Amino acid sequence: MTSSPKSVPCQRDFKQLLEIDMDVRQFGSDWAHCDQISSYASRMISHNRMDSLRFANLFSSAMNEIMETAFHARAEKGTLRCALHRCDEIDRIELTIPCDGSAARFFQSTIDLAHAENAEEAYMAELFSESAPDKNLGLLELAIDYNASISLKELGDESVCLTVDLALEEPEN
């Protein structure tokens, strides 16, 4: 998947499939929560896809990148809320992340970079860098490799809502 990322999320009617809430300190206490939540959610929503195993693997990988990015926000209080929605071939992940202004700026600057003309070059430079990977790598991967549409909304209560739209299957004819 190498086409340019979309900058505007899909505006169609999405139906909610699943919602998971977790205390953000509990979530941040163990890196394994990212994989556990991603694996659980992908299994729950993949049963009716054309190739459910392939879809579950791709969705789990993509969602894990989002969860790992959220893991870095390190909020001290609040609820991490993950809602999954679907409209036809598009799956939407909405992740409400308690965070301070610094983390919110990080999310926005990463999304801005993901939508920039040189996003793929920035992603490749980061991917093949000999230094430790930057925490923005996961969102860049989603934008470049998964052609995800990513947006951010500040909620005004020291939290943000990160929205990621993914089309992991081609629509049926």
Side-chain angles (χ1 to χ4, degrees), residues 11-22:
Q11 300 298 318
R12 297 190 275 179
D13 288 331
F14 282 80
K15 297 198 177 354
Q16 185 166 348
L17 302 173
L18 178 71
E19 185 172 308
I20 300 169
D21 292 353
M22 186 172 191

Side-chain angles (χ1 to χ4, degrees), residues 21 28 30 40 63-64 70 81 88 103 109-110 121 132 152 156 169:
D21 292 353
D30 190 345
Y40 173 78
M63 187 170 170
N64 191 54
R81 177 168 290 121
D88 300 325
S109 68
T110 300
E121 294 165 31
L152 185 76
E169 287 185 334

Side-chain angles (χ1 to χ4, degrees), residues 56-71:
N57 284 334
L58 287 171
F59 190 86
S60 178
S61 294
M63 187 170 170
N64 191 54
E65 295 299 336
I66 299 164
M67 301 305 288
E68 289 180 357
T69 302
F71 187 86

Side-chain angles (χ1 to χ4, degrees), residues 34-48:
C34 301
D35 180 59
Q36 292 166 342
I37 293 170
S38 301
S39 295
Y40 173 78
S42 67
R43 289 182 185 152
M44 294 300 292
I45 69 163
S46 63
H47 67 283
N48 61 349

